[in-house]
Amino acid sequence: MISFRLAEESDVADIHGIYVPFVKDTHISFEYEIPSQAEIGQRVRKTLQHYPWIVAVEDNKVIGYAYAGSFRYRTAYSWSAESSIYLSPAAQGKGLGKNLYRRLLALLKLQGFQTVYAGISLPNPISQRFHDRMGFDHLQVFQRIGFKKGRWHDVDFWQIVIDPKDEDPAMPRGINELSQAEIESVLGS
């Protein structure tokens, strides 16, 4: 049985193991150097200061994760977030991504975020179809924006409005400002 929860320090090795092949073998991550487990741990801790980092766990092992971060750094962007998702090869194609993203978007909405963006390095038709099915709208392709694996790659940007408010919205709460009951109401569903 698969369970979902916020990432913990004990998950870092599994998260690292899932992420390394994306850096080493693909253009999906634009990183060139494989980050250390310590660096991944630092990223998880920093993310969880304000944004959700959700793990999917099966048999006490992380098999996938999704997280959000700042879209841009000016105050007016505070209601927007950028999302990422990574699954182990054995977990792909089984609906896990949908379950992770649904929970990530629900937590972001609960926090008070309005819009979530995703950038997909191309070619990646599986991720494009996935975001389309999750209700994201296609925005724009930024051409020749990254060079990896001996060639230029475009990045396809998508967005989903998760909580449209026209009035002056309150600043989004940090993930650490949500109660355990609020978090469990999303992750346990």
Side-chain angles (χ1 to χ4, degrees):
M1 184 169 137
I2 297 173
S3 62
F4 301 90
R5 59 173 169 72
L6 293 180
E8 301 171 351
E9 192 67 34
S10 61
D11 300 325
V12 169
D14 289 344
I15 291 169
H16 184 262
I18 291 169
Y19 186 60
V20 165
F22 288 98
V23 175
K24 187 173 81 172
D25 302 327
T26 78
H27 65 278
I28 291 171
S29 168
F30 274 7
E31 288 197 71
Y32 272 41
E33 301 297 322
I34 295 170
S36 67
Q37 281 190 32
E39 170 64 21
I40 295 296
Q42 185 177 6
R43 292 177 190 182
V44 170
R45 286 187 298 277
K46 183 177 180 184
T47 297
L48 286 170
Q49 290 174 2
H50 191 69
Y51 299 93
W53 188 309
I54 303 169
V55 294
V57 180
E58 184 175 49
D59 297 326
N60 296 317
K61 182 169 180 61
V62 174
I63 59 171
Y65 61 91
Y67 64 92
S70 176
F71 173 68
R72 301 282 302 253
Y73 295 101
R74 302 285 189 258
T75 303
Y77 293 111
S78 294
W79 294 269
S80 298
E82 187 169 358
S83 61
S84 294
I85 184 168
Y86 292 92
L87 304 177
S88 67
Q92 295 175 12
K94 299 178 181 178
L96 179 63
K98 178 181 176 182
N99 284 316
L100 273 167
Y101 242 39
R102 185 173 54 85
R103 286 168 170 83
L104 180 69
L105 296 174
L107 279 177
L108 290 167
K109 182 177 179 179
L110 191 60
Q111 287 179 258
F113 289 96
Q114 307 293 302
T115 308
V116 179
Y117 295 89
I120 303 167
S121 56
L122 300 178
N124 194 339
I126 292 171
S127 187
Q128 289 172 301
R129 279 192 307 273
F130 170 76
H131 284 85
D132 183 53
R133 290 180 182 150
M134 289 301 300
F136 280 70
D137 294 314
H138 181 258
L139 292 177
Q140 178 73 38
V141 174
F142 287 60
Q143 297 179 346
R144 298 175 53 90
I145 197 169
F147 187 85
K148 188 171 180 188
K149 298 289 181 191
R151 63 178 278 214
W152 287 102
H153 294 278
D154 301 341
V155 173
D156 193 7
F157 280 93
W158 294 69
Q159 79 170 23
I160 187 169
V161 178
I162 56 174
D163 193 17
K165 289 193 171 95
D166 292 329
E167 302 298 319
D168 188 18
M171 222 17 121
R173 296 185 288 167
I175 191 69
N176 56 357
E177 295 177 68
L178 299 182
S179 71
Q180 192 62 35
E182 287 175 304
I183 293 170
E184 287 176 8
S185 74
V186 171
L187 297 183
S189 57

